[in-house]
PDB file of all heavy atoms in Angstrom:
ATOM      1  N   LEU A 380       0.839  -1.209   0.000  1.00 97.00           N
ATOM      2  CA  LEU A 380       0.000   0.000   0.000  1.00 97.00           C
ATOM      3  C   LEU A 380       0.871   1.255   0.000  1.00 97.00           C
ATOM      4  O   LEU A 380       0.594   2.232  -0.688  1.00 97.00           O
ATOM      5  CB  LEU A 380      -0.929   0.006   1.221  1.00 97.00           C
ATOM      6  CG  LEU A 380      -1.986  -1.100   1.268  1.00 97.00           C
ATOM      7  CD1 LEU A 380      -2.673  -1.129   2.632  1.00 97.00           C
ATOM      8  CD2 LEU A 380      -3.019  -0.913   0.165  1.00 97.00           C
ATOM      9  N   TYR A 381       1.940   1.219   0.795  1.00 97.00           N
ATOM     10  CA  TYR A 381       2.917   2.322   0.868  1.00 97.00           C
ATOM     11  C   TYR A 381       3.542   2.537  -0.510  1.00 97.00           C
ATOM     12  O   TYR A 381       3.632   3.664  -0.993  1.00 97.00           O
ATOM     13  CB  TYR A 381       3.973   1.952   1.913  1.00 97.00           C
ATOM     14  CG  TYR A 381       5.220   2.807   1.983  1.00 97.00           C
ATOM     15  CD1 TYR A 381       5.153   4.147   2.353  1.00 97.00           C
ATOM     16  CD2 TYR A 381       6.480   2.248   1.738  1.00 97.00           C
ATOM     17  CE1 TYR A 381       6.313   4.917   2.463  1.00 97.00           C
ATOM     18  CE2 TYR A 381       7.638   3.013   1.856  1.00 97.00           C
ATOM     19  CZ  TYR A 381       7.547   4.339   2.220  1.00 97.00           C
ATOM     20  OH  TYR A 381       8.690   5.090   2.344  1.00 97.00           O
ATOM     21  N   ALA A 382       3.957   1.454  -1.159  1.00 97.00           N
ATOM     22  CA  ALA A 382       4.586   1.526  -2.482  1.00 97.00           C
ATOM     23  C   ALA A 382       3.627   2.127  -3.505  1.00 97.00           C
ATOM     24  O   ALA A 382       4.012   2.975  -4.310  1.00 97.00           O
ATOM     25  CB  ALA A 382       5.042   0.138  -2.924  1.00 97.00           C
ATOM     26  N   ALA A 383       2.359   1.699  -3.456  1.00 97.00           N
ATOM     27  CA  ALA A 383       1.361   2.196  -4.412  1.00 97.00           C
ATOM     28  C   ALA A 383       1.219   3.713  -4.303  1.00 97.00           C
ATOM     29  O   ALA A 383       1.059   4.412  -5.306  1.00 97.00           O
ATOM     30  CB  ALA A 383       0.020   1.519  -4.165  1.00 97.00           C
ATOM     31  N   GLU A 384       1.303   4.237  -3.074  1.00 96.00           N
ATOM     32  CA  GLU A 384       1.181   5.680  -2.862  1.00 96.00           C
ATOM     33  C   GLU A 384       2.484   6.398  -3.222  1.00 96.00           C
ATOM     34  O   GLU A 384       2.475   7.421  -3.894  1.00 96.00           O
ATOM     35  CB  GLU A 384       0.812   5.949  -1.397  1.00 96.00           C
ATOM     36  CG  GLU A 384       0.309   7.352  -1.171  1.00 96.00           C
ATOM     37  CD  GLU A 384      -0.274   7.561   0.226  1.00 96.00           C
ATOM     38  OE1 GLU A 384      -0.999   6.680   0.725  1.00 96.00           O
ATOM     39  OE2 GLU A 384       0.020   8.613   0.819  1.00 96.00           O
ATOM     40  N   ALA A 385       3.616   5.847  -2.784  1.00 96.00           N
ATOM     41  CA  ALA A 385       4.918   6.497  -2.988  1.00 96.00           C
ATOM     42  C   ALA A 385       5.337   6.509  -4.453  1.00 96.00           C
ATOM     43  O   ALA A 385       5.917   7.491  -4.930  1.00 96.00           O
ATOM     44  CB  ALA A 385       5.975   5.807  -2.141  1.00 96.00           C
ATOM     45  N   GLU A 386       5.041   5.431  -5.169  1.00 93.00           N
ATOM     46  CA  GLU A 386       5.484   5.322  -6.568  1.00 93.00           C
ATOM     47  C   GLU A 386       4.830   6.347  -7.494  1.00 93.00           C
ATOM     48  O   GLU A 386       5.341   6.636  -8.568  1.00 93.00           O
ATOM     49  CB  GLU A 386       5.228   3.899  -7.097  1.00 93.00           C
ATOM     50  CG  GLU A 386       6.256   2.907  -6.579  1.00 93.00           C
ATOM     51  CD  GLU A 386       5.882   1.449  -6.824  1.00 93.00           C
ATOM     52  OE1 GLU A 386       4.738   1.171  -7.249  1.00 93.00           O
ATOM     53  OE2 GLU A 386       6.741   0.582  -6.577  1.00 93.00           O
ATOM     54  N   THR A 387       3.710   6.918  -7.068  1.00 94.00           N
ATOM     55  CA  THR A 387       3.043   7.930  -7.893  1.00 94.00           C
ATOM     56  C   THR A 387       3.705   9.300  -7.732  1.00 94.00           C
ATOM     57  O   THR A 387       3.426  10.210  -8.501  1.00 94.00           O
ATOM     58  CB  THR A 387       1.548   8.065  -7.499  1.00 94.00           C
ATOM     59  OG1 THR A 387       1.470   8.494  -6.128  1.00 94.00           O
ATOM     60  CG2 THR A 387       0.803   6.748  -7.675  1.00 94.00           C
ATOM     61  N   LEU A 388       4.564   9.448  -6.730  1.00 95.00           N
ATOM     62  CA  LEU A 388       5.197  10.742  -6.463  1.00 95.00           C
ATOM     63  C   LEU A 388       6.444  10.918  -7.313  1.00 95.00           C
ATOM     64  O   LEU A 388       7.316  10.045  -7.348  1.00 95.00           O
ATOM     65  CB  LEU A 388       5.579  10.856  -4.981  1.00 95.00           C
ATOM     66  CG  LEU A 388       4.436  10.724  -3.969  1.00 95.00           C
ATOM     67  CD1 LEU A 388       4.983  10.656  -2.565  1.00 95.00           C
ATOM     68  CD2 LEU A 388       3.460  11.885  -4.111  1.00 95.00           C
ATOM     69  N   GLU A 389       6.530  12.061  -7.959  1.00 94.00           N
ATOM     70  CA  GLU A 389       7.687  12.341  -8.806  1.00 94.00           C
ATOM     71  C   GLU A 389       8.945  12.457  -7.942  1.00 94.00           C
ATOM     72  O   GLU A 389       8.953  13.157  -6.928  1.00 94.00           O
ATOM     73  CB  GLU A 389       7.455  13.650  -9.572  1.00 94.00           C
ATOM     74  CG  GLU A 389       8.449  13.880 -10.688  1.00 94.00           C
ATOM     75  CD  GLU A 389       8.223  15.177 -11.439  1.00 94.00           C
ATOM     76  OE1 GLU A 389       7.061  15.654 -11.448  1.00 94.00           O
ATOM     77  OE2 GLU A 389       9.191  15.712 -11.976  1.00 94.00           O
ATOM     78  N   GLY A 390       9.985  11.724  -8.324  1.00 94.00           N
ATOM     79  CA  GLY A 390      11.259  11.824  -7.609  1.00 94.00           C
ATOM     80  C   GLY A 390      11.390  10.911  -6.404  1.00 94.00           C
ATOM     81  O   GLY A 390      12.436  10.894  -5.762  1.00 94.00           O
ATOM     82  N   PHE A 391      10.344  10.143  -6.065  1.00 96.00           N
ATOM     83  CA  PHE A 391      10.447   9.261  -4.891  1.00 96.00           C
ATOM     84  C   PHE A 391      11.376   8.090  -5.194  1.00 96.00           C
ATOM     85  O   PHE A 391      12.185   7.702  -4.371  1.00 96.00           O
ATOM     86  CB  PHE A 391       9.070   8.745  -4.453  1.00 96.00           C
ATOM     87  CG  PHE A 391       9.075   8.152  -3.058  1.00 96.00           C
ATOM     88  CD1 PHE A 391       8.723   8.916  -1.961  1.00 96.00           C
ATOM     89  CD2 PHE A 391       9.442   6.821  -2.843  1.00 96.00           C
ATOM     90  CE1 PHE A 391       8.738   8.389  -0.677  1.00 96.00           C
ATOM     91  CE2 PHE A 391       9.468   6.282  -1.565  1.00 96.00           C
ATOM     92  CZ  PHE A 391       9.112   7.071  -0.477  1.00 96.00           C
ATOM     93  N   GLY A 392      11.246   7.521  -6.386  1.00 95.00           N
ATOM     94  CA  GLY A 392      12.142   6.425  -6.773  1.00 95.00           C
ATOM     95  C   GLY A 392      11.723   5.082  -6.204  1.00 95.00           C
ATOM     96  O   GLY A 392      10.560   4.872  -5.849  1.00 95.00           O
ATOM     97  N   GLU A 393      12.710   4.181  -6.068  1.00 96.00           N
ATOM     98  CA  GLU A 393      12.456   2.814  -5.612  1.00 96.00           C
ATOM     99  C   GLU A 393      11.906   2.791  -4.189  1.00 96.00           C
ATOM    100  O   GLU A 393      12.274   3.618  -3.355  1.00 96.00           O
ATOM    101  CB  GLU A 393      13.777   2.026  -5.673  1.00 96.00           C
ATOM    102  CG  GLU A 393      13.600   0.532  -5.562  1.00 96.00           C
ATOM    103  CD  GLU A 393      14.937  -0.226  -5.570  1.00 96.00           C
ATOM    104  OE1 GLU A 393      15.991   0.396  -5.814  1.00 96.00           O
ATOM    105  OE2 GLU A 393      14.896  -1.439  -5.305  1.00 96.00           O
ATOM    106  N   VAL A 394      11.011   1.849  -3.935  1.00 96.00           N
ATOM    107  CA  VAL A 394      10.357   1.741  -2.629  1.00 96.00           C
ATOM    108  C   VAL A 394      10.757   0.419  -1.969  1.00 96.00           C
ATOM    109  O   VAL A 394      10.828  -0.605  -2.642  1.00 96.00           O
ATOM    110  CB  VAL A 394       8.811   1.810  -2.789  1.00 96.00           C
ATOM    111  CG1 VAL A 394       8.123   1.773  -1.437  1.00 96.00           C
ATOM    112  CG2 VAL A 394       8.410   3.062  -3.547  1.00 96.00           C
ATOM    113  N   PRO A 395      11.030   0.427  -0.647  1.00 95.00           N
ATOM    114  CA  PRO A 395      11.380  -0.831   0.028  1.00 95.00           C
ATOM    115  C   PRO A 395      10.277  -1.881  -0.123  1.00 95.00           C
ATOM    116  O   PRO A 395       9.091  -1.548  -0.130  1.00 95.00           O
ATOM    117  CB  PRO A 395      11.525  -0.422   1.496  1.00 95.00           C
ATOM    118  CG  PRO A 395      11.798   1.046   1.464  1.00 95.00           C
ATOM    119  CD  PRO A 395      11.066   1.570   0.272  1.00 95.00           C
ATOM    120  N   GLU A 396      10.693  -3.130  -0.237  1.00 97.00           N
ATOM    121  CA  GLU A 396       9.761  -4.243  -0.393  1.00 97.00           C
ATOM    122  C   GLU A 396      10.021  -5.261   0.716  1.00 97.00           C
ATOM    123  O   GLU A 396      11.172  -5.586   1.006  1.00 97.00           O
ATOM    124  CB  GLU A 396       9.994  -4.913  -1.759  1.00 97.00           C
ATOM    125  CG  GLU A 396       9.193  -6.168  -1.970  1.00 97.00           C
ATOM    126  CD  GLU A 396       9.743  -7.070  -3.087  1.00 97.00           C
ATOM    127  OE1 GLU A 396      10.718  -6.706  -3.752  1.00 97.00           O
ATOM    128  OE2 GLU A 396       9.171  -8.164  -3.248  1.00 97.00           O
ATOM    129  N   ILE A 397       8.962  -5.731   1.346  1.00 97.00           N
ATOM    130  CA  ILE A 397       9.104  -6.800   2.337  1.00 97.00           C
ATOM    131  C   ILE A 397       8.837  -8.104   1.588  1.00 97.00           C
ATOM    132  O   ILE A 397       7.763  -8.274   1.011  1.00 97.00           O
ATOM    133  CB  ILE A 397       8.142  -6.608   3.526  1.00 97.00           C
ATOM    134  CG1 ILE A 397       8.525  -5.328   4.289  1.00 97.00           C
ATOM    135  CG2 ILE A 397       8.177  -7.818   4.455  1.00 97.00           C
ATOM    136  CD1 ILE A 397       7.545  -4.900   5.357  1.00 97.00           C
ATOM    137  N   ILE A 398       9.836  -8.980   1.576  1.00 96.00           N
ATOM    138  CA  ILE A 398       9.696 -10.206   0.779  1.00 96.00           C
ATOM    139  C   ILE A 398       8.711 -11.166   1.446  1.00 96.00           C
ATOM    140  O   ILE A 398       8.577 -11.180   2.673  1.00 96.00           O
ATOM    141  CB  ILE A 398      11.065 -10.892   0.521  1.00 96.00           C
ATOM    142  CG1 ILE A 398      11.712 -11.355   1.832  1.00 96.00           C
ATOM    143  CG2 ILE A 398      11.999  -9.974  -0.262  1.00 96.00           C
ATOM    144  CD1 ILE A 398      12.950 -12.231   1.630  1.00 96.00           C
ATOM    145  N   PRO A 399       8.013 -11.986   0.644  1.00 96.00           N
ATOM    146  CA  PRO A 399       7.059 -12.940   1.239  1.00 96.00           C
ATOM    147  C   PRO A 399       7.780 -14.076   1.952  1.00 96.00           C
ATOM    148  O   PRO A 399       8.911 -14.418   1.610  1.00 96.00           O
ATOM    149  CB  PRO A 399       6.277 -13.458   0.030  1.00 96.00           C
ATOM    150  CG  PRO A 399       7.176 -13.250  -1.138  1.00 96.00           C
ATOM    151  CD  PRO A 399       8.039 -12.056  -0.817  1.00 96.00           C
ATOM    152  N   ILE A 400       7.120 -14.623   2.944  1.00 94.00           N
ATOM    153  CA  ILE A 400       7.655 -15.780   3.674  1.00 94.00           C
ATOM    154  C   ILE A 400       6.582 -16.865   3.661  1.00 94.00           C
ATOM    155  O   ILE A 400       5.393 -16.565   3.811  1.00 94.00           O
ATOM    156  CB  ILE A 400       8.082 -15.372   5.108  1.00 94.00           C
ATOM    157  CG1 ILE A 400       8.755 -16.522   5.836  1.00 94.00           C
ATOM    158  CG2 ILE A 400       6.932 -14.817   5.901  1.00 94.00           C
ATOM    159  CD1 ILE A 400       9.430 -16.106   7.148  1.00 94.00           C
ATOM    160  N   PHE A 401       6.983 -18.102   3.421  1.00 94.00           N
ATOM    161  CA  PHE A 401       6.025 -19.201   3.275  1.00 94.00           C
ATOM    162  C   PHE A 401       6.242 -20.257   4.352  1.00 94.00           C
ATOM    163  O   PHE A 401       7.380 -20.554   4.719  1.00 94.00           O
ATOM    164  CB  PHE A 401       6.163 -19.846   1.889  1.00 94.00           C
ATOM    165  CG  PHE A 401       5.999 -18.867   0.766  1.00 94.00           C
ATOM    166  CD1 PHE A 401       7.115 -18.321   0.141  1.00 94.00           C
ATOM    167  CD2 PHE A 401       4.742 -18.464   0.348  1.00 94.00           C
ATOM    168  CE1 PHE A 401       6.974 -17.402  -0.897  1.00 94.00           C
ATOM    169  CE2 PHE A 401       4.586 -17.547  -0.686  1.00 94.00           C
ATOM    170  CZ  PHE A 401       5.703 -17.016  -1.309  1.00 94.00           C
ATOM    171  N   LEU A 402       5.148 -20.807   4.823  1.00 93.00           N
ATOM    172  CA  LEU A 402       5.192 -21.874   5.823  1.00 93.00           C
ATOM    173  C   LEU A 402       5.074 -23.207   5.092  1.00 93.00           C
ATOM    174  O   LEU A 402       4.185 -23.396   4.268  1.00 93.00           O
ATOM    175  CB  LEU A 402       4.020 -21.706   6.796  1.00 93.00           C
ATOM    176  CG  LEU A 402       3.925 -22.733   7.930  1.00 93.00           C
ATOM    177  CD1 LEU A 402       5.075 -22.560   8.918  1.00 93.00           C
ATOM    178  CD2 LEU A 402       2.588 -22.599   8.642  1.00 93.00           C
ATOM    179  N   ILE A 403       6.001 -24.125   5.383  1.00 93.00           N
ATOM    180  CA  ILE A 403       5.886 -25.453   4.779  1.00 93.00           C
ATOM    181  C   ILE A 403       5.799 -26.513   5.878  1.00 93.00           C
ATOM    182  O   ILE A 403       6.365 -26.344   6.964  1.00 93.00           O
ATOM    183  CB  ILE A 403       7.058 -25.771   3.804  1.00 93.00           C
ATOM    184  CG1 ILE A 403       8.419 -25.687   4.518  1.00 93.00           C
ATOM    185  CG2 ILE A 403       7.029 -24.876   2.588  1.00 93.00           C
ATOM    186  CD1 ILE A 403       9.533 -26.360   3.744  1.00 93.00           C
ATOM    187  N   HIS A 404       5.088 -27.585   5.572  1.00 91.00           N
ATOM    188  CA  HIS A 404       4.940 -28.700   6.504  1.00 91.00           C
ATOM    189  C   HIS A 404       5.782 -29.857   5.993  1.00 91.00           C
ATOM    190  O   HIS A 404       5.655 -30.272   4.839  1.00 91.00           O
ATOM    191  CB  HIS A 404       3.458 -29.099   6.603  1.00 91.00           C
ATOM    192  CG  HIS A 404       3.215 -30.184   7.599  1.00 91.00           C
ATOM    193  ND1 HIS A 404       2.409 -31.258   7.350  1.00 91.00           N
ATOM    194  CD2 HIS A 404       3.694 -30.370   8.866  1.00 91.00           C
ATOM    195  CE1 HIS A 404       2.389 -32.053   8.403  1.00 91.00           C
ATOM    196  NE2 HIS A 404       3.161 -31.541   9.328  1.00 91.00           N
ATOM    197  N   ARG A 405       6.670 -30.347   6.881  1.00 90.00           N
ATOM    198  CA  ARG A 405       7.539 -31.476   6.506  1.00 90.00           C
ATOM    199  C   ARG A 405       7.244 -32.631   7.466  1.00 90.00           C
ATOM    200  O   ARG A 405       7.900 -32.768   8.500  1.00 90.00           O
ATOM    201  CB  ARG A 405       9.008 -31.061   6.616  1.00 90.00           C
ATOM    202  CG  ARG A 405       9.337 -29.782   5.841  1.00 90.00           C
ATOM    203  CD  ARG A 405      10.747 -29.308   6.105  1.00 90.00           C
ATOM    204  NE  ARG A 405      10.961 -29.007   7.512  1.00 90.00           N
ATOM    205  CZ  ARG A 405      12.149 -28.722   8.043  1.00 90.00           C
ATOM    206  NH1 ARG A 405      13.220 -28.708   7.288  1.00 90.00           N
ATOM    207  NH2 ARG A 405      12.275 -28.458   9.314  1.00 90.00           N
ATOM    208  N   PRO A 406       6.242 -33.455   7.168  1.00 91.00           N
ATOM    209  CA  PRO A 406       5.793 -34.486   8.117  1.00 91.00           C
ATOM    210  C   PRO A 406       6.864 -35.494   8.515  1.00 91.00           C
ATOM    211  O   PRO A 406       6.829 -36.021   9.621  1.00 91.00           O
ATOM    212  CB  PRO A 406       4.632 -35.171   7.400  1.00 91.00           C
ATOM    213  CG  PRO A 406       4.670 -34.708   5.994  1.00 91.00           C
ATOM    214  CD  PRO A 406       5.446 -33.446   5.938  1.00 91.00           C
ATOM    215  N   ALA A 407       7.845 -35.755   7.673  1.00 91.00           N
ATOM    216  CA  ALA A 407       8.880 -36.756   7.999  1.00 91.00           C
ATOM    217  C   ALA A 407      10.011 -36.180   8.850  1.00 91.00           C
ATOM    218  O   ALA A 407      10.863 -36.915   9.343  1.00 91.00           O
ATOM    219  CB  ALA A 407       9.459 -37.328   6.705  1.00 91.00           C
ATOM    220  N   ASN A 408       9.996 -34.857   9.058  1.00 89.00           N
ATOM    221  CA  ASN A 408      11.098 -34.205   9.767  1.00 89.00           C
ATOM    222  C   ASN A 408      10.801 -34.091  11.264  1.00 89.00           C
ATOM    223  O   ASN A 408       9.642 -33.990  11.665  1.00 89.00           O
ATOM    224  CB  ASN A 408      11.303 -32.807   9.160  1.00 89.00           C
ATOM    225  CG  ASN A 408      12.664 -32.252   9.454  1.00 89.00           C
ATOM    226  OD1 ASN A 408      12.955 -31.933  10.595  1.00 89.00           O
ATOM    227  ND2 ASN A 408      13.485 -32.125   8.422  1.00 89.00           N
ATOM    228  N   ASN A 409      11.853 -34.079  12.094  1.00 90.00           N
ATOM    229  CA  ASN A 409      11.690 -33.879  13.550  1.00 90.00           C
ATOM    230  C   ASN A 409      11.038 -32.539  13.863  1.00 90.00           C
ATOM    231  O   ASN A 409      10.280 -32.410  14.812  1.00 90.00           O
ATOM    232  CB  ASN A 409      13.049 -33.945  14.256  1.00 90.00           C
ATOM    233  CG  ASN A 409      13.587 -35.366  14.314  1.00 90.00           C
ATOM    234  OD1 ASN A 409      12.814 -36.316  14.142  1.00 90.00           O
ATOM    235  ND2 ASN A 409      14.875 -35.511  14.534  1.00 90.00           N
ATOM    236  N   ILE A 410      11.404 -31.510  13.095  1.00 87.00           N
ATOM    237  CA  ILE A 410      10.764 -30.195  13.228  1.00 87.00           C
ATOM    238  C   ILE A 410       9.842 -30.083  12.010  1.00 87.00           C
ATOM    239  O   ILE A 410      10.301 -29.801  10.896  1.00 87.00           O
ATOM    240  CB  ILE A 410      11.812 -29.061  13.253  1.00 87.00           C
ATOM    241  CG1 ILE A 410      12.797 -29.300  14.407  1.00 87.00           C
ATOM    242  CG2 ILE A 410      11.142 -27.706  13.393  1.00 87.00           C
ATOM    243  CD1 ILE A 410      14.052 -28.479  14.347  1.00 87.00           C
ATOM    244  N   PRO A 411       8.543 -30.372  12.194  1.00 88.00           N
ATOM    245  CA  PRO A 411       7.641 -30.521  11.045  1.00 88.00           C
ATOM    246  C   PRO A 411       7.309 -29.238  10.281  1.00 88.00           C
ATOM    247  O   PRO A 411       6.844 -29.302   9.158  1.00 88.00           O
ATOM    248  CB  PRO A 411       6.388 -31.137  11.643  1.00 88.00           C
ATOM    249  CG  PRO A 411       6.427 -30.760  13.083  1.00 88.00           C
ATOM    250  CD  PRO A 411       7.863 -30.633  13.464  1.00 88.00           C
ATOM    251  N   TYR A 412       7.528 -28.055  10.899  1.00 88.00           N
ATOM    252  CA  TYR A 412       7.188 -26.810  10.208  1.00 88.00           C
ATOM    253  C   TYR A 412       8.443 -25.973   9.995  1.00 88.00           C
ATOM    254  O   TYR A 412       9.313 -25.907  10.860  1.00 88.00           O
ATOM    255  CB  TYR A 412       6.163 -25.994  11.000  1.00 88.00           C
ATOM    256  CG  TYR A 412       4.801 -26.630  10.992  1.00 88.00           C
ATOM    257  CD1 TYR A 412       4.390 -27.447  12.048  1.00 88.00           C
ATOM    258  CD2 TYR A 412       3.938 -26.440   9.921  1.00 88.00           C
ATOM    259  CE1 TYR A 412       3.137 -28.051  12.033  1.00 88.00           C
ATOM    260  CE2 TYR A 412       2.686 -27.042   9.896  1.00 88.00           C
ATOM    261  CZ  TYR A 412       2.295 -27.846  10.951  1.00 88.00           C
ATOM    262  OH  TYR A 412       1.066 -28.439  10.919  1.00 88.00           O
ATOM    263  N   ALA A 413       8.523 -25.344   8.839  1.00 89.00           N
ATOM    264  CA  ALA A 413       9.653 -24.471   8.532  1.00 89.00           C
ATOM    265  C   ALA A 413       9.162 -23.328   7.654  1.00 89.00           C
ATOM    266  O   ALA A 413       8.074 -23.397   7.070  1.00 89.00           O
ATOM    267  CB  ALA A 413      10.742 -25.250   7.811  1.00 89.00           C
ATOM    268  N   THR A 414       9.964 -22.267   7.610  1.00 91.00           N
ATOM    269  CA  THR A 414       9.628 -21.152   6.728  1.00 91.00           C
ATOM    270  C   THR A 414      10.615 -21.120   5.571  1.00 91.00           C
ATOM    271  O   THR A 414      11.773 -21.504   5.721  1.00 91.00           O
ATOM    272  CB  THR A 414       9.678 -19.806   7.482  1.00 91.00           C
ATOM    273  OG1 THR A 414      10.983 -19.637   8.034  1.00 91.00           O
ATOM    274  CG2 THR A 414       8.639 -19.743   8.581  1.00 91.00           C
ATOM    275  N   VAL A 415      10.119 -20.667   4.447  1.00 92.00           N
ATOM    276  CA  VAL A 415      10.950 -20.559   3.252  1.00 92.00           C
ATOM    277  C   VAL A 415      10.778 -19.151   2.697  1.00 92.00           C
ATOM    278  O   VAL A 415       9.657 -18.635   2.623  1.00 92.00           O
ATOM    279  CB  VAL A 415      10.503 -21.580   2.173  1.00 92.00           C
ATOM    280  CG1 VAL A 415      11.359 -21.449   0.919  1.00 92.00           C
ATOM    281  CG2 VAL A 415      10.571 -22.991   2.709  1.00 92.00           C
ATOM    282  N   GLU A 416      11.911 -18.538   2.345  1.00 94.00           N
ATOM    283  CA  GLU A 416      11.856 -17.229   1.706  1.00 94.00           C
ATOM    284  C   GLU A 416      13.036 -17.074   0.767  1.00 94.00           C
ATOM    285  O   GLU A 416      14.002 -17.841   0.817  1.00 94.00           O
ATOM    286  CB  GLU A 416      11.825 -16.108   2.747  1.00 94.00           C
ATOM    287  CG  GLU A 416      13.055 -16.029   3.618  1.00 94.00           C
ATOM    288  CD  GLU A 416      12.949 -14.948   4.692  1.00 94.00           C
ATOM    289  OE1 GLU A 416      12.163 -13.998   4.568  1.00 94.00           O
ATOM    290  OE2 GLU A 416      13.693 -15.083   5.671  1.00 94.00           O
ATOM    291  N   GLU A 417      12.956 -16.049  -0.066  1.00 93.00           N
ATOM    292  CA  GLU A 417      14.021 -15.749  -1.021  1.00 93.00           C
ATOM    293  C   GLU A 417      15.326 -15.461  -0.271  1.00 93.00           C
ATOM    294  O   GLU A 417      15.316 -14.811   0.778  1.00 93.00           O
ATOM    295  CB  GLU A 417      13.586 -14.503  -1.814  1.00 93.00           C
ATOM    296  CG  GLU A 417      14.596 -13.953  -2.772  1.00 93.00           C
ATOM    297  CD  GLU A 417      14.168 -12.595  -3.349  1.00 93.00           C
ATOM    298  OE1 GLU A 417      12.987 -12.219  -3.216  1.00 93.00           O
ATOM    299  OE2 GLU A 417      15.029 -11.926  -3.919  1.00 93.00           O
ATOM    300  N   GLU A 418      16.430 -15.933  -0.806  1.00 94.00           N
ATOM    301  CA  GLU A 418      17.731 -15.645  -0.191  1.00 94.00           C
ATOM    302  C   GLU A 418      18.168 -14.253  -0.620  1.00 94.00           C
ATOM    303  O   GLU A 418      18.154 -13.924  -1.809  1.00 94.00           O
ATOM    304  CB  GLU A 418      18.769 -16.674  -0.646  1.00 94.00           C
ATOM    305  CG  GLU A 418      20.115 -16.471   0.025  1.00 94.00           C
ATOM    306  CD  GLU A 418      21.193 -17.428  -0.479  1.00 94.00           C
ATOM    307  OE1 GLU A 418      20.919 -18.216  -1.415  1.00 94.00           O
ATOM    308  OE2 GLU A 418      22.306 -17.371   0.053  1.00 94.00           O
TER     309      GLU A 418
END
């Protein structure tokens, strides 16, 4: 929402992005839940 507003402003430039994080279930693992995100 911040990016949508800031990007319309002349001279603002690139806007910070919070990368998505995903929850995965690994039933065979001792710790069955983990998060995955872009490196």
Side-chain angles (χ1 to χ4, degrees):
L380 295 170
Y381 169 65
E384 195 171 318
E386 283 168 351
T387 62
L388 301 172
E389 192 180 334
F391 195 95
E393 194 182 352
V394 183
E396 174 199 357
I397 295 171
I398 63 171
I400 185 169
F401 304 98
L402 181 68
I403 58 164
H404 183 225
R405 307 173 300 172
N408 200 291
N409 287 342
I410 302 166
Y412 289 96
T414 58
V415 179
E416 63 183 338
E417 175 189 346
E418 183 184 4

